[in-house]
Amino acid sequence: MKCSVRATGSHAFQQNVFLPSSILGTLLAGALVLSGCGTAPVTPTVKTLMIAGAVHGGQQPVTGATLQLYAVGTTGDGSTATPLILTTETTSDGSGSATDGNANAANSLNTLPAGFFTLTSQYVCPPQGAEVYLVATGGNPGLVAGTNNSSLALMAGLGPCSSLTPTTNIFLDELTTVGSVAALYPYMTSYAAVGSGTSDATALANAFAKVNEYTNTSTGTVPGPTLPASTYASSTEIDTLADVIALCINSAGNTGSTSPCAALFADTPSNGGTVPTDTIGAVINILQNPNQNVCPIWELTPATGPYMPTLSACPANWNLPITPWAVSVSGASSVYEGATSQYTATVTGTTNQSVNWLVNNVAGGNSTVGTISATGLYTAPTVTTSTAVTISAVSVLSSTAMGSIGVTVQPVTVGVSGPANVLFGQTGQYTATVTGSSTTMVTWLVNSVAGGSASEGTISASGVYTAPAIAPVTSVTISAQSTAFPASSGSIGITVSSTSLTYATGDTRTVTQPTYPGICATLTAQFSSTLRSSPPAAASDDTSRIQAALNSVPCKNTGLAVELALGGSGSNAFYSEQITLNGEGLTIDSGVTMYGGASYSTQSELIDIKGTNSSLNGVGTGTSQGAVDGRGDLYVGAGSSTRLVEATPTSNLIVYNVTLEQSIYPNLYIQGGNGATVWGVNILTPDTRANADGIDLDSVTNVTVTNSIVEDGDDGVAVKTNSSVASNITVTNNRFYGSHGLSIGSIPNYTVTNVLFLNNYLYGTDMLGNVSADANGLVVKIDPSCAATVQQVTYQNTCMTGVKHLITFYTNYANTCSGAAGNPVFTDIVVNGVYATSSLSGAYSYFYGASAAAPSMAALAYVSLDKNTQSSGTTATQYATISLDDSSLTPSGTGVTTNTFSTPGSVPTCSF
């Protein structure tokens, strides 16, 4: 079952709500039995009642409105109708409450959306062919709780009772009310008195059929679905009256002489002078006395009512005829600025074809929207962007007979194509395409200077650009300006460089999945993980025996590993203070955890790794994977800065298939050396642990981080340069939870070069559901006074969900520089393929250059963000040079220039 409801706009608001088919089988206990009408006995037709729909006043659902289905009276015109619903049934208030005073079967105990109803019970149709109609009275039209507008009355004429089916949808609003009364008023004295005698019963049935010409009672719109083509059913007049009564309906009712209802009722007395008490009564009186108070009623029309169009002038009367009368307009759907186009009006239903022409409801138009002659010749205005106008023709016989056509006025456009990059001293051919003008000549400019300049490059009359021999001070934009329409121009931003854009390739090694090193010594656990909160004292824990095994002759500097194995009687834990690996490995068996000892938090790290061919390994998968636990959750607020694992310096380091969890400070810190592989590592430190970086790569070269899960309280991966260059780094196929992103910085005192982030996922919450305090995505951060260079950094195929700071590249990080003073340099920073979804409220990106001399520079390709907002205030995008290729994000701001380039790639397909 589908119910339709109204929304803003003239005649179109639809929302589909599907009701379960099981409702059809629900029967109200005890059938309603009505005696037969007339003199002949009638065998009643018993059928399942399933009437569903909604009640709206203007744009608001009416809650708590009382519903009644009436069968027409049969003892004369305006005779009392028979109510078919004998229980109090109301529209839903949408609260879901089964205990408030509004809960009943019709609104499914308020579980339906506000204003909706479903009438399901057994009832007996009156004699075959009897007409029925539905009325809603009272209720709250979207005002403060407890409001009941007793003047509110809405209706819909439905026709023969036998025509009601389980698919009958009913929408009651001002349009269905005016449309129904327009057809039925000769047979009405009130909403409860609609009927006829036997002699004009057929005429009443025909009137019910005409309801569907005036209005669509399923959608609450005008005209109705059975209105013949090229026929006018007084829709504008109905819109006007609907707006008039909407003022009363969308109020608290007749609350005093100044209320909208009082004004309506005062202008709509009956022929005998009786003032109505509800909105249906007001409409009946208007239509039964169409020449009474015509203009005062029209003057009640609000300037911006819920139904449009409305009458622009007071009508002669309030008769609402249905007449075969229409105006159609034909002509082009688009016109270029400054051009002319002929439009033709055809008036049906009359021999008088004379019309008045309007543009956007302005007779004859004007210079802003374009002008139109008395013969329909339209002259388009000058525009800078595509502009929609409406050309209308109004019959001189009636202002309500109008036809229109939507027309798009398109600016003359100039498109510029050519290479996105031109090398120093070289040339590039650019082409201008002028659309919408017969004059195709253009003037060529470089950075708004006709013909260009020596410092920024020159361009010939034929579009050949010659780049300068050195990099220009500012970004270069090549433009072509139409000579016929100087306001129309096109441009292309280009880069002028010594080489074309260079992508990062990352680790220069060929990296394959590690294998476990041989075992040189095996230690069995002598403690249980149950001692985690109160571990054994340092003198009696496992520190000395682990270190002794590592230093033993079979193990020392051999690349072989000491194995930590399960012990007997449930012993599964090792407790240790700081230990050092120097050319040895440590392999932690499945189900075994090495814990930080009782006093290790006073030391710089738990596991200190140095030398060549050192390794830290875990056996197993999931929660049984060999693990190192820093017990950081027990040191919150203690001020400790102990790292869980630190490698400095190392060569050919391997961290493989091991879980690192609950670090106090950074989980894995690798500083210095050449060659490190981090593969299949699970880092499980919650987002709430401040400064607990996942993986720090500091002043290292040839590193691969892959196939790992990182949950941490700071940077997921941070590439730093505390002591020397960081280079040749690959971070690929990882998932980061609750982290502060994939970061370059924050202390780049030296050059960062050739860093590849590939196929990574970023989640703004950790695996415990904590939303990251600084949910970052892609980050490059550098001190504005450091003469450091970040170059050849590529973020490729990144998937993000629940992130707040999506892409943030900035040169105004805190003053942490301890290297050479000067301006930072960004070169060849490329984002190729980003998809962001479910970004946090207030999500943004920014590209912040500290000054024109220290700009933020990047290339964005195939970027699809669900929120393309830029930061504001002190971190607003500024002093940035951004190249774009298929990017939803276009940075702008002070000192920001953008240009286009072309590169292979695509927006990644993500599976979170």
Side-chain angles (χ1 to χ4, degrees), residues 131 226 304 373 698 747 837 886:
E131 314 295 328
T226 63
T304 56
S373 71
D698 189 350
I747 314 176
T837 186
D886 194 11

Side-chain angles (χ1 to χ4, degrees), residues 120-182:
T120 305
S121 64
Q122 260 193 349
Y123 76 100
V124 178
C125 273
Q128 184 70 25
E131 314 295 328
V132 295
Y133 61 97
L134 186 66
V135 174
T137 56
N140 187 340
L143 304 180
V144 297
T147 299
N148 180 55
N149 182 352
S150 60
S151 300
L152 185 155
L154 298 167
M155 71 175 292
L158 304 181
C161 183
S162 58
S163 68
L164 299 180
T165 72
T167 61
T168 300
N169 290 329
I170 307 172
F171 191 107
L172 277 69
D173 65 2
E174 293 87 348
L175 295 175
T176 64
T177 300
V178 178
S180 296
V181 176

Side-chain angles (χ1 to χ4, degrees), residues 773-779 800 803-808 842-845:
D774 199 3
N776 295 336
L778 314 183
V779 182
M800 299 189 286
V803 173
K804 185 170 186 178
H805 310 133
L806 302 173
I807 305 175
T808 54
Y844 61 82
S845 299

Side-chain angles (χ1 to χ4, degrees), residues 442-468 476-481:
V442 297
T443 300
W444 287 97
L445 306 92
V446 178
N447 286 0
S448 300
V449 176
S453 64
S455 62
E456 295 170 337
T458 60
I459 193 164
S460 70
S462 60
V464 176
Y465 172 73
T466 302
V476 172
T477 299
I478 295 175
S479 305
Q481 182 182 56

